[in-house]
Amino acid sequence: MLIVAVVVVTVAAGVGLGLLATGDDGEGGGEPVGSAQQQPSPTASEGGSSSASKTPSPSPTRSYPLSQPPRTIPAVRTHTPARGPGWTPDKGERVVVSDGDLADEGRLLAGELGLTYAGQQGDVRAGDVRLALNDDEGADPESYTMTVRGGRVTISGPADAGVFYGTRTLKQEVHGGGTAPEGVVRDEPAKPVRGFQLDIARKHFTADWIEDRVRELGDLKINQLGLHFSDDQGFRIESDSHPEVVSQEHLTKAQVRQIVALAASRHITVVPEIDSPGHLGAVIAAHPDLQLRNTQGVATRGAVDISDPDAAEIVDDLLNEFADLFPGDQWHLGGDEYQALVVSDPEASYPQLASAAREAFGSGASVEDLTTGWLNDRADTVRAHDKTPRAWNDGFFAGTSVKADADIQVAYWTGKEIGARLPTAYLSEGRKLINYNDEFLYYVLGEPLTFVYPTGQRIYEQWTPLVVRGTQPVPAKYDDQILGGVFAVWGDLPNSQTQAQVAAGIRMPLRAMVQKLWDPGKPELSWSQFKALADRLG
């Protein structure tokens, strides 16, 4: 890299200084960077000679310092600086695409920045933002390259998801009248799962509020939205197969389709969750004959009797019904806190479950085996719809003859529940794991039990994807098996906060989490600097 500076001195009308700079990236062939600032030549009437008027002095050229890395959330992975004015949006400038598949991304960006969307164009104009797909086979589909040079911007990636993330970076760079710095950004996420889980079963959230969160998640490059819409307190989405289970306050299917479509436009997969065989109180309220009872006839909270084929039938009806409503390739099966397993002797307390286990899996089978069989059967149901299943970590049991299917991902949330093992127990089996660590990533309304509202600062300074349980990381050798992390809002005491208070409370935790999921290195900014950046970006 070579920078050549020529000092030009003109006499007569005064002294002028200018710098002539070559491109620092090997391009430009020594041509000036930036716009020339012309100086008039002295004339005879100003005391110059006639020869001076015929031979103008060299014109100075504006010099630019090397650009600084953009300040975004999450931070970009690499930025190659250059000298130049950068780029700011100006009315009348265009967003163009090189491939029609990027039309949605182009229209969105143009609308956000007040530019003209010109569609698929081959010409080049000053001020253009061009979106393009490249043929970088094998690259992360969420990666992108953004080049700011010569008063134009080009964002390219191997897939439209990466190009979209490049537009999010550009949007943040120019927010509030800012400038996209000259140079080249090369960026990609460290983790493929960057999620937000919302419990709409215990607390009803409006469709408008959820859509606002979708827009926020998209700008932060968060790519999954989990909707936990069935629990003891409510079933919150309209159902055609079993309308009797639906709560009075709920989302219509039309509203859900609109949320799903908005999410898809931001490259966010909506991950539905119908938790079973526990947390089915809303279903049981309409079908009390399905409730699990012990030998004394006492009902077991939220639990269906998994020895009853009718329980499996109604849950499968719902899974099959909602599979088309959520076209993404992920499904959360729940599987946690089945209350039959919290008693000291499940076989004695629930002999019908023990009998069904032996009948299905042999004389030595346990209630844990029967529960694992239930999980595998539900995984079969969603797998038939091309969904990858996941389940809470306390739904996987040790020492059973029946093993959970190998492709069921572990949603690891806690070490406090019966059946919960250390994260390494799952990872050593080769399972893929998603980090929902309740120590850092659980926002439980009303702070019941030992829960406290997580702070962005604590996540930013203490949490990483390897910190799966408590505060201690798992060995780094398991890093590739940890797919990412999810920040979850749970409505245990639903009236403890309004929707607006929830949105404000999760704002910085979401930003801190995605920083750690996008860039595996230690953040360059201090917490106070990061917080100030978040406040500036809005």
Side-chain angles (χ1 to χ4, degrees):
M1 304 297 177
L2 178 63
I3 300 174
V4 179
V6 178
V7 180
V8 180
V9 181
T10 59
V11 193
V15 178
L17 295 179
L19 296 178
L20 184 66
T22 62
D24 71 312
D25 57 358
E27 296 183 22
E31 295 180 1
V33 175
S35 58
Q37 297 177 338
Q38 298 292 337
Q39 293 276 26
S41 301
T43 63
S45 62
E46 294 171 327
S49 65
S50 60
S51 61
S53 63
K54 296 178 182 178
T55 309
S57 304
S59 299
T61 302
R62 182 177 178 182
S63 174
Y64 295 95
L66 277 175
S67 59
Q68 296 297 311
R71 292 301 191 191
T72 60
I73 296 176
V76 301
R77 300 286 293 276
T78 66
H79 174 255
T80 303
R83 298 182 187 277
W87 181 88
T88 55
D90 195 12
K91 187 177 180 180
E93 292 177 341
R94 308 184 306 174
V95 175
V96 299
V97 298
S98 297
D99 191 297
D101 289 344
L102 298 174
D104 289 343
E105 289 75 18
R107 289 191 184 95
L108 177 63
L109 182 67
E112 291 169 329
L113 301 188
L115 305 179
T116 299
Y117 176 67
Q120 197 167 350
Q121 301 289 342
D123 64 322
V124 176
R125 295 185 188 176
D128 274 356
V129 177
R130 178 170 294 277
L131 310 183
L133 296 175
N134 59 40
D135 56 359
D136 191 358
E137 294 183 8
D140 186 331
E142 294 187 309
S143 66
Y144 68 93
T145 299
M146 181 169 69
T147 303
V148 179
R149 181 182 293 135
R152 293 185 295 274
V153 180
T154 299
I155 301 171
S156 65
D160 51 356
V163 174
F164 171 74
Y165 293 137
T167 68
R168 301 306 86 190
T169 296
L170 183 63
K171 180 184 177 183
Q172 288 193 27
E173 287 177 333
V174 302
H175 176 80
T179 298
E182 202 87 1
V184 180
V185 167
R186 291 181 176 85
D187 204 13
E188 64 180 355
K191 294 296 181 182
V193 174
R194 307 175 300 281
F196 171 58
Q197 172 107 351
L198 182 64
D199 173 9
I200 64 173
R202 294 180 180 92
K203 181 179 178 67
H204 173 67
F205 288 87
T206 65
D208 287 345
W209 190 91
I210 296 171
E211 289 179 11
D212 285 343
R213 299 290 74 69
V214 168
R215 297 182 185 94
E216 179 182 13
L217 300 176
D219 283 351
L220 293 172
K221 305 184 177 82
I222 290 174
N223 64 359
Q224 289 190 5
L225 167 64
L227 291 180
H228 175 93
F229 65 92
S230 170
D231 212 302
D232 296 342
Q233 295 81 356
F235 192 102
R236 301 290 182 181
I237 296 179
E238 172 189 3
S239 170
D240 300 315
S241 67
H242 290 282
E244 72 280 2
V245 308
V246 179
S247 302
Q248 183 176 0
E249 283 190 311
H250 64 272
L251 299 175
T252 67
K253 285 189 173 181
Q255 289 173 319
V256 174
R257 289 189 185 98
Q258 186 166 320
I259 290 167
V260 169
L262 180 65
S265 74
R266 267 65 175 178
H267 296 274
I268 296 169
T269 299
V270 181
V271 183
E273 181 189 359
I274 298 177
D275 202 347
S276 78
H279 293 279
L280 282 171
V283 172
I284 293 169
H287 296 274
D289 53 309
L290 299 180
Q291 186 155 35
L292 178 66
R293 296 179 181 274
N294 66 12
T295 54
Q296 283 76 44
V298 176
T300 304
R301 178 175 57 85
V304 294
D305 186 340
I306 58 176
S307 69
D308 186 345
D310 289 344
E313 182 178 352
I314 192 171
V315 172
D316 281 347
D317 285 347
L318 294 167
L319 294 175
N320 286 320
E321 176 185 358
F322 288 103
D324 291 339
L325 187 63
F326 297 98
D329 62 353
Q330 303 290 311
W331 195 284
H332 203 316
L333 296 170
D336 64 314
E337 298 181 322
Y338 187 50
Q339 295 300 303
L341 300 175
V342 305
V343 299
S344 59
D345 190 346
E347 282 73 23
S349 295
Y350 304 100
Q352 74 274 38
L353 299 184
S355 176
R358 291 191 296 270
E359 182 178 348
F361 302 112
S363 60
S366 64
V367 175
E368 286 88 348
D369 288 310
L370 188 67
T371 308
T372 303
W374 170 282
L375 180 67
N376 288 341
D377 289 344
R378 307 292 78 73
D380 286 342
T381 301
V382 301
R383 206 180 284 117
H385 296 279
D386 297 321
K387 314 290 189 186
T388 297
R390 73 182 65 164
W392 299 113
N393 64 287
D394 51 321
F396 296 77
F397 308 106
T400 55
S401 59
V402 179
K403 304 297 181 185
D405 292 342
D407 69 331
I408 303 176
Q409 298 171 354
V410 180
Y412 198 102
W413 71 283
T414 190
K416 302 180 180 74
E417 296 292 329
I418 292 175
R421 293 170 284 156
L422 290 171
T424 51
Y426 308 86
L427 294 166
S428 63
E429 296 174 353
R431 291 192 180 277
K432 294 180 178 178
L433 182 150
I434 302 170
N435 188 331
Y436 289 76
N437 188 339
D438 64 346
E439 181 79 16
F440 291 92
L441 306 179
Y442 260 37
Y443 193 94
V444 184
L445 297 189
E447 299 181 305
L449 304 174
T450 60
F451 288 107
V452 295
Y453 292 129
T455 67
Q457 182 172 2
R458 190 158 181 254
I459 296 169
Y460 191 77
E461 294 177 346
Q462 299 180 32
W463 180 82
T464 74
L466 291 175
V467 180
V468 178
R469 169 174 167 169
T471 59
Q472 297 303 309
V474 300
K477 67 180 181 179
Y478 294 120
D479 185 56
D480 288 345
Q481 289 173 241
I482 298 174
L483 301 179
V486 176
F487 187 88
V489 169
W490 297 104
D492 290 42
L493 299 173
N495 296 324
S496 301
Q497 289 192 341
T498 65
Q499 290 187 138
Q501 288 172 322
V502 173
I506 66 177
R507 181 175 172 274
M508 288 310 300
L510 283 174
R511 284 153 177 77
M513 180 195 69
V514 79
Q515 173 61 40
K516 295 300 193 73
L517 293 170
W518 190 271
D519 188 340
K522 182 179 179 180
E524 178 184 343
L525 301 181
S526 68
W527 168 250
S528 61
Q529 291 171 325
F530 185 82
K531 175 68 164 56
L533 174 62
D535 291 343
R536 181 175 67 79
L537 294 176

